[in-house]
Amino acid sequence: MTAKISTDSKTSLDVKLLKYFLDKDQDPLLYLGEIARKIASADQYYAPFRQQKEASFDRFYQLLSQNQFLPAADILRNSDNLNMLNHMAIKLRRDEETLFSQFKQISHLLKQGIHLALDLSELQNLNGKEFTHYLSIIQNLPQDLDDPTWMRLYIDVNHSHIEEFLDFALSAPDYIHFAAGITDQFMQELKHKHAKQEQSLTHTVFKQLAKLVLKQKRVDFLFSDKINCLRIKQGLSADYLINPLNQLASEHELMASGILNLATINTDDETQLKEVLFTAIHFLDNCIELNHYPNDQSMWQSKKMRRICLGFLGLEPHAQSVVIKINELAIQCSQELSELRGGYQQIRYEEHNHSTRHSQLIGQCHQPLISQIAGSPSYLFKREMNLKDFYALYPRHSATQDVLTNIASFKHPTNNMPIETIMQLFLTCYNQGLLTFEI
């Protein structure tokens, strides 16, 4: 039986979430039906699913229309042209011939709407003018100037050109975002010198970072040593990068992401919870299959790893045991899908006896942090909040750190915020064991 697309205004769907993707008179439920139909079409590539495309459409549509699952914005926006997975990490090489070849590739990717995280770690010990020249080239790479694709530049605070990097960031256009890797040594020096009220290069760099915050620049702060420990713990190779979704991933790899709304799901009913998880994972797996990849390297790497980034909304009221259950059920769903479509033995799930289809299921470091999830504590403050709210909330979140080991982020007013307050936020996030945050 084919699902009927209802336009009943009493649906639980939050239409506000879709307003940026719809034409003026377009019905949101019909729009979701078109997306569900498109994504279900990937079932034709797998014999066990080939005769079940209508059933998959039914399940996908119910998942979307009942507000149980919200795919990433690029999936909602680009399901027609199949450019649905649009976040990639690239490390720039110091060798000049390779670097200029990369610049051409980056321009090509930006023109296709691929959001890039560019790691500048290898561009060390140049003269200051040469480093700044490379930043200027990146800024002026050919792309659509009417609607430029945003990208993010990243270096650690101990990089030899950190001061030139931060000076450039102050005047860079809004479509260029920035990320700073904060080392353990930097935080220890910041804390020590702050207690003694001493000035140092660490304080100079911190003040430059704070100035970016006060100028409302988009800056992500990543505790790089903590992230590296996580990478080692999960058995990932040293060449893994942090992509624009704040996920650990290999270079050129794309991933499919979305958010489950646990407020609309009975998490006490394990059968229902698993059914929703399986449908969401099936949906995102189909997105990986259908996506138009910008090059062969990206297609090969993405389809091999089949990395999924599931985030969760409405998790805060739930017990830690629910988080563990979600993680276990997601692994089971991936294992079952691998039996039907083929699998890949993942290091991350080596305690399980069967192959999974996906190298990642739960978001490691989900972007503007929407939730607290297994392997990724994350929570989005949708309202403006003052400092006492921040301190009140984070101790409660950190109580589940033995399961939720990754990342948290917050947004709040920064206009006229004293540097002393920004210092307190840095120290609080670091001491709470978070891996990244955004002001």
Side-chain angles (χ1 to χ4, degrees), residues 271-337:
T271 300
Q272 184 196 6
L273 180 59
K274 185 176 179 180
E275 182 180 344
V276 170
L277 280 167
F278 185 91
T279 305
I281 291 170
H282 178 187
F283 181 98
L284 293 176
D285 191 73
N286 279 13
C287 290
I288 293 171
E289 200 63 47
L290 286 171
N291 188 65
H292 173 74
Y293 292 91
N295 53 56
D296 290 343
Q297 181 182 2
S298 175
M299 179 176 67
W300 179 84
Q301 191 68 18
S302 303
K303 289 193 173 184
K304 174 191 174 187
M305 302 306 292
R306 309 196 78 87
R307 198 177 300 278
I308 282 175
C309 176
L310 272 178
F312 298 90
L313 190 67
L315 189 58
E316 185 186 3
H318 295 267
Q320 191 180 74
S321 59
V322 175
V323 179
I324 297 172
K325 179 165 64 175
I326 289 171
N327 198 42
E328 287 295 313
L329 289 175
I331 292 171
Q332 290 178 29
C333 292
S334 182
Q335 290 172 343
E336 290 173 11
L337 200 58

Side-chain angles (χ1 to χ4, degrees), residues 222-278:
L222 289 73
F223 293 119
S224 50
D225 288 331
K226 292 178 183 288
I227 291 173
N228 193 47
C229 287
L230 174 71
R231 179 189 61 75
I232 294 171
K233 181 181 177 181
Q234 294 191 348
L236 303 176
S237 65
D239 58 359
Y240 269 59
L241 305 173
I242 297 291
N243 71 10
L245 292 172
N246 281 345
Q247 302 289 306
L248 284 163
S250 57
E251 198 167 14
H252 293 280
E253 184 182 354
L254 299 174
M255 60 174 57
S257 63
I259 301 162
L260 284 170
N261 183 5
L262 298 185
T264 64
I265 303 166
N266 181 6
T267 56
D268 293 327
D269 184 342
E270 190 167 307
T271 300
Q272 184 196 6
L273 180 59
K274 185 176 179 180
E275 182 180 344
V276 170
L277 280 167
F278 185 91

